Amino acid sequence: MSSPAVDFATQNHPRFLNELKDLLRIPSISTLPEHKDDCRRAAEFLASELKRIGMENVRLIDTSGHPLVYGDWLHAGGKPTVLIYGHYDVQPTDPIDEWLSPPFEPAERNGNIYARGAVDDKGQVWMQVKALEALLASNKSLPLNVRVIFEGEEEVGGEGIAEYVASKPANLKSDFALVSDTELFAPGLPTLCVGLRGMIYTELEVRGAKTDLHSGMYGGAAPNPFTAIAQIIARLKDDNGHILIPGFYDDIIPPSSEELAAWKSLPFDEEHYRISEVGSRQLVGEDGYSVLERTWARPTLDVHGIPGGFIGAGAKTVIPAKAVAKVSMRLVPGMTPAKAFAQYKSYVEKIAPAGVDVEVRLIHSGDPCLIPVNNKYIQAATHALHEVWGKDTVFIRSGGSIPIVGDFDRHLGLPSVMMGFGLPDDNIHAPNEKFSLQNFELGIRSLIRFLEEAGR
Ligand code: BES
Ligand code: MN
Ligand code: MN
């Protein structure tokens, strides 16, 4: 049940939490160029802690973007090797006015720690580091061989780590991966995530006139790129949420009947989800599919922003010369980013209204993934989780994406164990992101026990 490492973690919990707060104070927003140095600082913070706890060969690995953090400990002869993954980069903080406490000044309230990155993913990365510290401190060794790789570009597509994994697979040679960047299906319910959606993130640029025009002088004769972009967007999906791109659904591999049956028995209350998580008048989406199927096993298309034109206070009568829309699609098993993008691009070019030019750009992409569950690592995980949480593990998918997980399988041949401890209402990517302090503590315990079991 317990172990010296678990006891070490319990005794040192207040210090672990204070250290996490220091990490959370670094505004490592990967998408904003002005935070480039902060991303490196977060990487250095992790590297110096990995060194301090006794990991070896610790270093930053430079990429085309933000650095990777690597460390290893490979002295458990005859034992398997785990590749531990997480990301230190975070999402932007807007809308900043809606935060009850500043995003980079971690605050404890009602059993949670609030900060950008609290659960996605600094808090979970810190659980991994603290599990390793507890094991090393209490045993002077680890129960299995460990490689650690943290990235700082997950939230922007993970290009740097993808290049590294594809070009230097031998440097990460392992037997399985441990990914802590997902959530429990419900509070107190031990959960392993076994599937993620992939994605393509695109920009649509529509150009009309050669320059901005007076809408009185030219309105009626000159094309309006905002109207055109609205027409294009309106033709991407029908009223039922079905995507109209020809061939888009052709290659989908649907979930097995066993998986669908398992999803039906999960404790899911659609009204609670609608009211407490979404907070909308009604839910939308494809008829004939449950909410879990819609978000886990069906592709979707969303518009994230339409920057450009006149957005100041008051009124300006202008026909802007160009409009841009940021549009992404989530992909499910069977689909590939390259094919989905080609289908989308040629459809958009076809439906663009007369008088405008459109350019369709791919910003980043990632493959969907499905994880095999018939292996000893998943068994070790469910065993450890049962000890710590007193319940059987549920297997879920997630609608989110972690682009590198598919590459771990394709380039390194690794099955991943996606053991994360967020909660559905943790507000990731939104104001007031939080992490349950109880989950932080039980998460560390779960990771310790999992690594011990995986090395038995
Ligand atoms: N940790 C999330 C993915 C996630 C969310 C997994 C919820 C399980 C439950 C990750 O940090 C994330 O937000 N990924 C981005 C990736 C994208 C920018 C390529 C996403 O899903 O939008
Ligand atoms: Mn994440
Ligand atoms: Mn995220």
Side-chain angles (χ1 to χ4, degrees):
M1 180 52 126
S2 192
S3 77
V6 167
D7 296 342
F8 180 93
T10 308
Q11 283 149 20
N12 288 275
H13 187 70
R15 170 171 64 83
F16 289 1
L17 182 59
N18 281 329
E19 294 164 345
L20 170 59
K21 289 180 184 171
D22 289 337
L23 177 59
L24 290 170
R25 286 190 188 96
I26 306 173
S28 50
I29 304 172
S30 52
T31 201
L32 300 178
E34 62 268 32
H35 287 287
K36 190 170 193 290
D37 292 346
D38 295 317
C39 290
R40 182 165 285 269
R41 273 208 295 140
E44 279 162 359
F45 185 102
L46 289 167
S48 83
E49 183 65 1
L50 287 175
K51 266 184 213 155
R52 191 191 67 77
I53 66 173
M55 295 298 290
E56 300 173 351
N57 298 308
V58 176
R59 60 180 191 272
L60 299 197
I61 299 171
D62 282 317
T63 70
S64 52
H66 306 301
L68 303 172
V69 182
Y70 176 85
D72 62 30
W73 191 96
L74 303 170
H75 305 293
K79 301 289 188 182
T81 302
V82 59
L83 178 64
I84 296 185
Y85 165 86
H87 63 93
Y88 64 78
D89 64 320
V90 301
Q91 287 275 330
T93 57
D94 56 292
I96 189 78
D97 294 346
E98 290 182 28
W99 287 79
L100 297 176
S101 51
F104 297 111
E105 293 173 27
E108 284 180 50
R109 288 195 296 277
N110 38 51
N112 298 303
I113 180 162
Y114 286 83
R116 170 57 84 232
V119 68
D120 186 15
D121 183 32
K122 285 172 173 171
Q124 307 218 56
V125 162
W126 206 246
M127 292 188 312
Q128 295 175 327
V129 174
K130 295 295 105 177
L132 292 174
E133 176 183 355
L135 287 163
L136 281 164
S138 53
N139 306 307
K140 305 284 167 261
S141 73
L142 291 174
L144 75 182
N145 301 295
V146 173
R147 295 183 197 271
V148 174
I149 188 98
F150 297 139
E151 70 161 314
E153 295 183 292
E154 195 278 338
E155 301 290 9
V156 291
E159 204 181 304
I161 193 173
E163 279 163 15
Y164 187 76
V165 165
S167 65
K168 303 231 165 52
N171 291 5
L172 297 176
K173 191 177 180 325
S174 306
D175 296 292
F176 68 103
L178 166 62
V179 175
S180 300
D181 191 23
T182 54
E183 53 194 29
L184 303 184
F185 188 75
L189 186 60
T191 304
L192 291 175
C193 179
V194 300
L196 295 167
R197 288 196 287 191
M199 76 141 51
I200 52 176
Y201 199 109
T202 76
E203 257 175 15
L204 262 177
E205 182 170 312
V206 178
R207 287 186 167 271
K210 67 176 196 273
T211 181
D212 285 12
L213 298 172
H214 187 293
S215 69
M217 294 168 67
Y218 299 99
N224 184 311
F226 277 89
T227 311
I229 222 160
Q231 288 169 324
I232 294 171
I233 290 169
R235 289 170 190 155
L236 292 174
K237 276 202 257 186
D238 69 14
D239 291 348
N240 190 17
H242 194 80
I243 296 165
L244 298 171
I245 300 168
F248 205 67
Y249 293 85
D250 285 358
D251 303 328
I252 293 176
I253 303 166
S256 67
S257 48
E258 292 80 22
E259 205 176 5
L260 286 172
W263 295 353
K264 279 218 177 79
S265 65
L266 289 168
F268 183 73
D269 177 346
E270 192 170 310
E271 269 304 272
H272 180 265
Y273 173 88
R274 180 183 69 78
I275 295 165
S276 309
E277 283 189 52
V278 179
S280 65
R281 194 177 303 284
Q282 66 175 64
L283 296 174
V284 300
E286 290 177 283
D287 287 343
Y289 295 92
S290 69
V291 168
L292 296 183
E293 286 174 87
R294 289 179 202 172
T295 55
W296 292 353
R298 298 291 293 170
T300 47
L301 180 151
D302 275 289
V303 181
H304 309 288
I306 308 185
F310 178 64
I311 54 164
K316 177 187 179 191
T317 46
V318 63
I319 300 176
K322 71 163 198 180
V324 173
K326 292 175 184 285
V327 180
S328 82
M329 280 141 272
R330 298 277 169 176
L331 313 179
V332 297
M335 303 176 80
T336 60
K339 185 165 177 189
F341 181 68
Q343 290 170 329
Y344 164 72
K345 184 170 188 291
S346 73
Y347 179 62
V348 166
E349 286 164 355
K350 203 180 99 204
I351 61 176
V356 298
D357 292 319
V358 313
E359 194 192 329
V360 185
R361 296 188 284 259
L362 182 64
I363 308 283
H364 62 66
S365 64
D367 286 82
C369 71
L370 257 192
I371 303 295
V373 291
N374 289 323
N375 60 65
K376 60 182 177 180
Y377 307 112
I378 294 282
Q379 268 170 30
T382 56
H383 182 100
L385 288 169
H386 196 276
E387 261 186 29
V388 176
W389 299 80
K391 285 187 187 148
D392 285 341
T393 295
V394 297
F395 294 88
I396 68 165
R397 291 199 202 176
S398 168
S401 309
I402 308 173
I404 199 61
V405 176
D407 297 22
F408 285 160
D409 174 27
R410 268 187 308 282
H411 293 292
L412 305 177
L414 307 184
S416 288
V417 175
M418 287 196 271
M419 187 189 281
F421 299 94
L423 290 176
D425 67 352
D426 275 345
N427 301 320
I428 67 172
H429 297 199
N432 305 308
E433 177 177 349
K434 66 172 174 70
F435 191 13
S436 147
L437 292 171
Q438 156 133 317
N439 284 19
F440 178 61
E441 184 161 12
L442 293 184
I444 294 169
R445 212 176 285 174
S446 305
L447 292 172
I448 292 171
R449 291 293 301 115
F450 169 52
L451 294 172
E452 288 175 342
E453 286 300 313
R456 260 155 53 97

